[in-house]
Amino acid sequence: MNFEEQKISDFKRWETPFYFYNISLLRETLQLYVSYINKYNYHAHYALKANANERILEEIRSVGLGADCVSGNEVALALKSGFDPKKIVFAGVGKSDKEIITALNGGIFSFNCESIPEIEVINNIASGLGATAQVSLRINPDIDAHTHKYISTGRAQDKFGISPWMFQEVWQLLLRCKNVRLIGLHFHIGSQITEIPVFKTLCERAFELQKWFIQQGATLPVLNLGGGLGVDYADPFNHAFADFDSYFSLINKHLKVLPNQEIHFEPGRALVAQCGFLISRVLYVKQGRGIKFAILDAGMNNLIRPALYGARHHIVNLLSKGRTMRYHVVGPVCESSDHFGKSFLLPQTQRGDLVAICTAGAYCEVMGMSYNQRDIAKAYYSDTL
Ligand SMILES: *Cc1c(COP(=O)(O)O)cnc(C)c1O
């Protein structure tokens, strides 16, 4: 197993459930990622929504990445955490006036605009503040990223982005708006994308779609390809890093870059997923019909991905060395959707055992809630034991 005896004895003392972050793995991941960014001369903004834990943000900021935000509070948090405003971008289909004001006052790099009325509102607010907003147009390229339907964001039927049939109207509007400046196009087609060739389609489509704007006389100094690179939930210990090599070499090979154009990315999950664990205690083992339930003290309020997307996280029993058996692993919350998955092969499991739910660094702590009036779980770090 990948946890040392010393850590497991700490785990035994701490109140469960809790999140545990392996900071050295996070650093290794960031170093690897940054090595590719530097190699190809790309720019990256970390998607705060994947994990906005202070410690994690500090590690990410300190390697020089920018921030990709999807709410005014995320913009405020990024600023407070010391991210350079010139490296903050702000996306989202429903930016409120208050959020737009926060971002304008913060002097962020760019708004990733998702609709015609949004551009009008940003222009009006910017004009009132005597400011000019830099905007990228988030384009809906109608690409199916072959991921879960709730995290597909680039198909024509999805709510995100501006579709090509609106380009003429958007362009006319931009000509009239004196307080917004178009700097580029933005794409983000989904999350947990494991079919890397999807990104080749994205490169080709992005280049084609840019042409229309260039023909109208636009200069597009920025092309932002978003995030979405997936990680291995089934085998986290053998695949501790996302396949950055395939991803970046494919993009480098297929993307035609305009002269003087910067290429931007917005990684979230791929940077933080594998460094996080949800550590939980087995409360009861209960005989069900034909299989036992292992009932944990962690539930969907600590990790909602199985309930929300049918996700399956690898689970390890940290204490038992018994012969393996099958268990349905469930939480204590009063919802049948509060489960971590069916038929897990675990060593014989009993009350009091500690389990590690792996790949819990992205979209877990940050989605934590207090449903059933349950406590919000604490976080611990490998380097502050
Ligand atoms: C969520 C999000 C990301 C990050 O997605 P990952 O799948 O976590 O890499 C990037 N850009 C935008 C606009 C997002 O909404």
Side-chain angles (χ1 to χ4, degrees):
M1 234 338 279
N2 296 50
F3 293 102
E4 304 138 24
E5 285 308 312
Q6 176 57 44
K7 291 217 178 85
I8 292 176
S9 74
D10 285 317
F11 289 180
K12 282 184 190 160
R13 288 187 289 115
W14 297 336
E15 186 183 351
T16 52
F18 58 85
Y19 304 96
F20 177 75
Y21 294 105
N22 180 343
I23 297 294
S24 48
L25 181 57
L26 173 63
R27 286 182 181 156
E28 272 181 73
T29 310
L30 293 174
Q31 257 144 39
L32 184 63
Y33 187 83
V34 167
S35 74
Y36 286 104
I37 290 292
N38 292 343
K39 174 174 173 188
Y40 296 116
N41 205 11
Y42 294 152
H43 300 255
H45 303 103
Y46 167 67
L48 254 75
K49 76 175 188 291
N51 189 323
N53 175 304
E54 237 175 79
R55 260 314 298 277
I56 305 275
L57 290 186
E58 174 52 23
E59 295 292 333
I60 291 173
R61 188 203 57 76
S62 72
V63 295
L65 299 192
D68 166 41
C69 304
V70 291
S71 72
N73 287 348
E74 280 193 359
V75 170
L77 178 62
L79 291 167
K80 182 172 148 262
S81 307
F83 283 89
D84 180 352
K86 294 283 154 257
K87 292 184 185 175
I88 296 179
V89 297
F90 181 15
V93 296
K95 302 177 186 78
S96 70
D97 293 19
K98 185 179 162 196
E99 291 177 310
I100 292 167
I101 292 168
T102 301
L104 283 169
N105 285 338
I108 67 163
F109 177 65
S110 143
F111 289 83
N112 293 333
C113 292
E114 310 227 10
S115 68
I116 288 170
E118 181 193 328
I119 297 169
E120 287 173 332
V121 168
I122 292 176
N123 185 60
N124 287 340
I125 296 177
S127 152
L129 294 174
T132 301
Q134 299 206 116
V135 306
S136 285
L137 300 176
R138 176 165 180 178
I139 307 298
N140 183 321
D142 195 16
I143 294 174
D144 188 341
H146 299 289
T147 182
H148 190 275
K149 62 176 190 251
Y150 289 176
I151 48 175
S152 275
T153 55
R155 304 165 303 172
Q157 69 266 36
D158 295 324
K159 68 176 175 179
F160 297 95
I162 293 169
S163 292
W165 56 266
M166 300 172 186
F167 283 1
Q168 187 63 46
E169 195 181 337
V170 172
W171 182 249
Q172 292 307 319
L173 173 64
L174 287 169
L175 292 178
R176 288 198 306 275
C177 289
K178 299 297 170 223
N179 294 77
V180 303
R181 181 188 308 128
L182 178 67
I183 60 165
L185 301 190
H186 169 244
F187 298 83
H188 174 67
I189 58 171
S191 197
Q192 184 51 18
I193 298 170
T194 51
E195 282 180 35
I196 303 252
V198 163
F199 293 106
K200 171 174 182 256
T201 312
L202 175 60
C203 290
E204 293 164 353
R205 199 69 60 84
F207 187 75
E208 283 307 309
L209 291 166
Q210 282 187 137
K211 271 191 195 158
W212 189 91
F213 289 89
I214 301 290
Q215 280 159 7
Q216 313 307 306
T219 46
L220 300 173
V222 174
L223 173 62
N224 184 331
L225 294 178
L229 180 61
V231 299
D232 192 343
Y233 282 88
D235 191 9
F237 294 109
N238 287 312
H239 298 118
F241 305 109
D243 194 354
F244 298 129
D245 195 63
S246 302
Y247 174 75
F248 283 116
S249 44
L250 176 125
I251 286 167
N252 179 61
K253 182 163 166 214
H254 295 286
L255 185 66
K256 290 190 216 135
V257 180
L258 300 171
N260 301 318
Q261 186 175 51
E262 289 183 359
I263 306 300
H264 292 216
F265 293 91
E266 298 167 341
R269 185 192 312 270
L271 297 185
V272 294
Q274 299 293 23
C275 75
F277 299 83
L278 176 61
I279 309 294
S280 175
R281 205 173 282 276
V282 178
L283 288 175
Y284 301 103
V285 175
K286 166 177 165 172
Q287 184 64 53
R289 195 168 68 181
I291 190 164
K292 288 186 163 115
F293 289 100
I295 303 170
L296 308 184
D297 65 1
M300 66 192 291
N301 65 305
N302 309 117
L303 196 165
I304 202 174
R305 301 191 61 262
L308 196 55
Y309 318 120
R312 190 177 172 95
H313 291 242
H314 184 66
I315 299 180
V316 182
N317 185 325
L318 298 174
L319 300 184
S320 170
K321 297 197 165 46
R323 70 182 175 87
T324 57
M325 293 174 59
R326 299 254 167 208
Y327 296 89
H328 292 340
V329 180
V330 303
V333 173
C334 296
E335 296 276 341
S336 287
S337 59
D338 181 28
H339 66 87
F340 294 102
K342 294 194 162 157
S343 225
F344 277 93
L345 205 51
L346 294 173
Q348 195 162 30
T349 294
Q350 57 184 357
R351 174 173 168 82
D353 283 353
L354 285 172
V355 299
I357 302 173
C358 304
T359 322
Y363 305 107
C364 294
E365 182 180 6
V366 80
M367 288 187 174
M369 58 174 169
S370 58
Y371 182 42
N372 284 198
Q373 297 304 308
R374 293 170 53 77
D375 295 328
I376 297 288
K378 278 198 199 169
Y380 293 93
Y381 309 91
S382 57
D383 60 348
T384 50
L385 290 181

